[in-house]
Amino acid sequence: MECSKRTTTKTYIEALSTASWWVSTMAVRPIESMGVPVVILKEGSSRTYGREALRSNMMAVRAVAEVLRTTFGPKGMDKMLVDSLGDITITNDGATILDKMDLQHPAAKLLVQISKGQDEEVGDGTKRAVIFAGELIKQAEDLLSKDVHPTIIIQGYKKALERALDKINEIAEPIDPEDKEKLKKIALTSLASKGVQEAREHFAEIAVEAVDTVKEKRGDKWYVDLDYVQIVKKHGGSLKDTKLIKGVILDKEVVHPGMPKRVENAKIAVLDCPLELEKPELDAEIRITSPEQLKILLEEKEEILRKKVEKLKEVGANVVITQKGIDEVAQYYLAKNGIMAIRRVKRSDLEKLAKATGAKIISNIEDITPNDLGEAQLVEERKVGDDKMVFIEGAKNPKAVAILVRGGFERIVDEAERSLRDALSAVADAVKAGKIVGAGGAPEVELALDLRDYARKVGGKEQLAIEAFAKALEGIVMALVENAGYDPVEKLMQLRAKHTEGCKHCGVDVYTGEITNMIERGAFEAVAVPANAIKSGTEAATLILRIDDIVAAGKKEESKEK
């Protein structure tokens, strides 16, 4: 009986190993059953599995992180990206670099999605998120070589993330959303790594003023919708010619030369209906058998348009802005009545205009009333560069603003716009969260020290993963110090010593090399920026570590013309 049991067990093991061999090979070659081949994957498909798949993904993530590593911090370098058409982009903005790189590896593409998510969530910190993901993967490689299972590493990383997010909110200092001086310093910290050094102060002031104008308090919380900050780019002039408009800029011109080009104390009608006769939805046919009938038809059309203009004049409108078209006859009557008109305005600009001037967007001119009109101190057509634009300034309730970005040439203007968006996001994050942390690697070192203490309490193999998480945080600081030209090991040791003494906001001043309290130095950022970067980087790393099989479909062959 015992012999029979052993034989059965042996047979079961042999069958199991045979089945395992078939599963591992079925993706790369057909299985023959009773002489009939069974193809699992289409021809041209490939499969990578096990440690080889993991190694491939990890190498891709680290390679992308290394590209961004040299751009990190105020002394980071720029990248020149040339697309297939030969267009050049020069930037050190993380999201832009990843977007323009045209990455092919699927794991590398995941990082692009992570960076976009970080950019949409907080508007800044994309490089930090990707570099941190790369550091986590680097530390995971060391653990895998020690036979620590990926699942254990992921569990350790998740515990470390929860602890780090709690700790960073604990060490963060409160900030008054009305304190413009501190908000300006946040904008300056964000702009420190951008290519607009000569206009940093000017851009910081614009960012603070723009956010201060559009922010709204709902209950106990502040909300900032940056969609109501319009950015218009025009090359020509210098970066310091960039200016904030308490209103809206329309990249359009007045439709008729007989209309006024400047209107003070404007009463603005905002329309999403046309000032022209619309075609009927159903097919219709009009038969004209004499010149008199044609004349009557044209007169009727003219009368309808005249009545529409009369209605606008009656309610007191002296500026008309519409999303649709304006007929030439209507243009004539508008000009005759001294009403300025702008047509074919984008819907998004129309909504900003309504928000800024207090106007209501009207779909039917017959329903318009004086209360539906918006108000502005000045509406004027101006020439900017080679183009004409309409400026609406001194709006009644400027909860929407516009920024006209100028620069010597197109590439500079594009980089200035990216820098300005990051600064706006950084200030908005500080207003919404109401908390700040020091810059210069201060939060990362503080979190790393706390996580090492926490790891000893957790114990087991997860302890190794938590310690690896702490090392990855310090990897961000080392990248910052390396790019500034200092010895990363020396500065990291000095930082650890300061934080052990209780200076939780001590960081590296990259301009002087000193270890100092960064909040007292005036270099700090909204807590949401590093917190979201750590969260995004961890999510990316754990996602990569979970993958142990890559099945890639074959490329489609282009149909050949016969």
Side-chain angles (χ1 to χ4, degrees):
M1 186 68 181
E2 187 66 33
C3 180
S4 174
K5 187 176 180 181
R6 278 201 301 270
T7 306
T8 305
T9 306
K10 182 180 177 185
T11 307
Y12 174 74
I13 292 169
E14 286 175 352
L16 193 63
S17 65
T18 305
S20 175
W21 179 82
W22 278 114
V23 169
S24 66
T25 57
M26 70 181 181
V28 293
R29 69 183 195 178
I31 300 171
E32 292 190 12
S33 176
M34 301 296 290
V36 181
V38 179
V39 180
I40 303 299
L41 296 178
K42 285 185 178 180
E43 188 179 348
S45 300
S46 63
R47 181 186 177 212
T48 311
Y49 57 93
R51 283 297 174 95
E52 184 61 31
L54 195 54
R55 191 181 67 84
S56 168
N57 287 337
M58 293 170 95
M59 283 178 64
V61 171
R62 287 191 61 187
V64 174
E66 286 299 320
V67 170
L68 291 188
R69 190 181 177 88
T70 57
T71 68
F72 186 55
K75 294 198 174 182
M77 307 298 281
D78 290 353
K79 303 291 180 188
M80 177 185 282
L81 305 158
V82 186
D83 65 16
S84 56
L85 299 175
D87 287 339
I88 298 169
T89 303
I90 300 172
T91 183
N92 72 351
D93 181 72
T96 305
I97 292 169
L98 291 176
D99 188 46
K100 300 280 186 183
M101 275 175 70
D102 194 22
L103 298 166
Q104 292 300 314
H105 197 283
K109 287 181 178 178
L110 283 175
L111 283 187
V112 177
Q113 292 171 8
I114 290 290
S115 74
K116 283 181 179 177
Q118 174 77 7
D119 201 39
E120 288 166 9
E121 184 70 21
V122 292
D124 202 3
T126 50
K127 286 177 284 189
R128 192 182 318 205
V130 174
I131 292 167
F132 183 55
E135 290 293 327
L136 285 174
I137 291 295
K138 179 182 174 183
Q139 297 301 327
E141 280 182 333
D142 293 340
L143 294 178
L144 288 168
S145 66
K146 296 172 185 174
D147 292 328
V148 180
H149 196 275
T151 306
I152 302 295
I153 299 172
I154 290 166
Q155 288 171 355
Y157 280 180
K158 285 187 175 178
K159 284 186 177 179
L161 175 63
E162 288 175 12
R163 175 79 177 192
L165 292 178
D166 289 341
K167 184 66 178 177
I168 198 169
N169 281 299
E170 183 187 314
I171 65 172
E173 299 287 340
I175 184 176
D176 182 3
E178 302 285 355
D179 190 340
K180 289 190 178 182
E181 273 306 309
K182 282 192 175 179
L183 293 177
K184 183 181 174 183
K185 285 173 181 175
I186 289 169
L188 285 169
T189 303
S190 175
L191 291 166
S193 61
K194 311 299 179 187
V196 290
Q197 294 299 320
E198 69 273 21
R200 270 180 67 203
E201 287 277 342
H202 184 54
F203 274 41
E205 286 170 4
I206 287 176
V208 171
E209 192 62 34
V211 171
D212 187 60
T213 304
V214 302
K215 74 177 187 231
E216 292 180 85
K217 194 167 188 178
R218 300 175 194 169
D220 296 332
K221 291 187 177 180
W222 286 97
Y223 289 84
V224 181
D225 189 348
L226 291 180
D227 286 342
Y228 289 116
V229 179
Q230 178 193 26
I231 297 181
V232 179
K233 301 182 293 182
K234 284 292 172 187
H235 62 270
S238 71
L239 290 172
K240 289 186 178 178
D241 292 330
T242 299
K243 61 181 177 179
L244 177 72
I245 305 294
K246 293 284 185 75
V248 178
I249 301 170
L250 302 177
D251 198 357
K252 300 286 179 182
E253 57 184 285
V254 176
V255 295
H256 193 280
M259 290 178 180
K261 300 293 189 289
R262 178 186 173 93
V263 176
E264 295 182 2
N265 298 319
K267 302 286 186 182
I268 305 168
V270 181
L271 313 175
D272 67 353
C273 57
L275 273 170
E276 56 190 4
L277 295 183
E278 295 184 80
K279 292 180 181 178
E281 291 182 9
L282 301 172
D283 290 338
E285 182 179 327
I286 300 173
R287 293 189 179 184
I288 297 171
T289 56
S290 68
E292 288 76 15
Q293 289 178 334
L294 178 61
K295 184 180 178 184
I296 291 168
L297 180 68
L298 293 173
E299 284 175 353
E300 186 62 29
K301 173 190 171 184
E302 188 175 320
E303 182 62 18
I304 292 169
L305 293 171
R306 188 185 67 78
K307 283 181 179 178
K308 287 188 176 186
V309 175
E310 282 295 324
K311 179 66 176 176
L312 291 168
K313 185 183 177 184
E314 185 185 314
V315 296
N318 52 15
V319 176
V320 175
I321 298 170
T322 179
Q323 186 183 353
K324 307 289 177 64
I326 301 177
D327 190 273
E328 289 182 2
V329 175
Q331 290 178 29
Y332 164 75
Y333 281 113
L334 287 165
K336 187 177 178 182
N337 286 287
I339 299 173
M340 179 194 287
I342 299 102
R343 63 180 172 182
R344 309 288 181 199
V345 174
K346 290 187 293 186
R347 178 73 189 190
S348 58
D349 288 349
L350 215 64
E351 289 170 358
K352 291 183 182 76
L353 182 64
K355 184 83 171 175
T357 62
K360 290 181 182 176
I361 300 175
I362 303 299
S363 299
N364 187 354
I365 291 175
E366 298 302 318
D367 299 334
I368 195 168
T369 66
N371 292 331
D372 296 330
L373 301 179
E375 295 179 17
Q377 292 176 5
L378 177 67
V379 179
E380 184 178 23
E381 181 187 87
R382 299 173 194 162
K383 192 166 184 181
V384 181
D386 296 330
D387 302 317
K388 289 179 181 177
M389 305 174 80
V390 175
F391 288 71
I392 297 146
E393 298 183 27
K396 176 185 177 182
N397 179 33
K399 286 298 176 185
V401 297
I403 301 171
L404 179 63
V405 181
R406 306 302 306 276
F409 61 100
E410 199 172 339
R411 309 294 172 208
I412 289 288
V413 175
D414 288 342
E415 183 64 6
E417 183 208 10
R418 287 189 284 267
S419 304
L420 198 49
R421 286 192 187 280
D422 283 357
L424 286 164
S425 298
V427 176
D429 291 336
V431 169
K432 287 186 284 187
K435 287 184 174 182
I436 56 170
V437 290
E444 286 84 1
V445 175
E446 182 69 18
L447 294 181
L449 283 175
D450 179 69
L451 285 171
R452 285 196 174 91
D453 290 338
Y454 174 64
R456 286 192 285 273
K457 296 173 187 174
V458 172
K461 286 188 176 180
E462 284 182 6
Q463 174 182 346
L464 299 175
I466 296 170
E467 287 174 350
F469 195 98
K471 282 183 189 175
L473 284 168
E474 291 178 340
I476 298 174
V477 183
M478 293 181 81
L480 178 73
V481 174
E482 279 173 16
N483 292 341
Y486 302 113
D487 182 347
V489 176
E490 179 190 349
K491 293 300 175 189
L492 185 58
M493 293 303 106
Q494 291 174 3
L495 276 169
R496 281 181 182 174
K498 282 284 187 182
H499 280 261
T500 305
E501 290 169 10
C503 182
K504 61 184 179 181
H505 294 299
C506 277
V508 181
D509 186 331
V510 295
Y511 299 104
T512 64
E514 293 176 22
I515 307 298
T516 181
N517 187 315
M518 299 305 281
I519 287 185
E520 291 177 4
R521 180 63 64 93
F524 42 81
E525 57 192 344
V527 69
V529 176
N532 272 280
I534 292 167
K535 188 162 61 174
S536 298
T538 308
E539 286 172 355
T542 53
L543 193 63
I544 295 299
L545 288 169
R546 280 185 181 278
I547 299 166
D548 75 337
D549 213 332
I550 305 169
V551 180
K555 291 184 179 178
K556 278 188 175 181
E557 291 185 9
E558 294 181 5
S559 56
K560 295 179 181 178
E561 293 182 6
K562 292 183 179 179

